[in-house]
Amino acid sequence: ASSALPVAIARPLPVTPERLSELLLGGAELRNVEYKGDLNFDDKAVQAKIARAVLGLANHRDGGHVVIGVEETRDATGRPVLK
């Protein structure tokens, strides 16, 4: 008898234009949203950075989103701003 636990494989939901707008209007990284600026995907360090972000979000119960091409910075008051 096997003592292995059953494994459920979740399929990612497609990101609709409306959901992408919500992610961009949020304006700041959250527990389940990370922004990664303009990246060179040929760079192994960049590939590792994306993999770490994806794996980190995979550890959350509800998963999350990595939005590529958008960078979070801070304005003069320290508030997060997307660019």
Side-chain angles (χ1 to χ4, degrees), residues 48-62:
K49 184 178 190 178
I50 296 295
R52 280 192 303 273
V54 170
L55 291 172
L57 291 172
N59 286 323
H60 292 275
R61 178 181 179 163
D62 297 325

Side-chain angles (χ1 to χ4, degrees), residues 5-64:
L5 297 173
V7 176
I9 298 176
R11 299 199 188 280
L13 297 174
V15 177
T16 63
E18 293 80 15
R19 180 63 181 137
L20 182 57
S21 291
E22 290 171 6
L23 293 171
L24 294 174
L25 291 174
E29 287 189 350
L30 303 170
R31 183 180 71 81
N32 63 344
V33 179
E34 287 197 32
Y35 299 104
K36 302 295 178 194
D38 191 21
L39 303 173
N40 174 4
F41 289 99
D42 294 328
D43 184 340
K44 296 288 184 190
V46 168
Q47 293 173 12
K49 184 178 190 178
I50 296 295
R52 280 192 303 273
V54 170
L55 291 172
L57 291 172
N59 286 323
H60 292 275
R61 178 181 179 163
D62 297 325

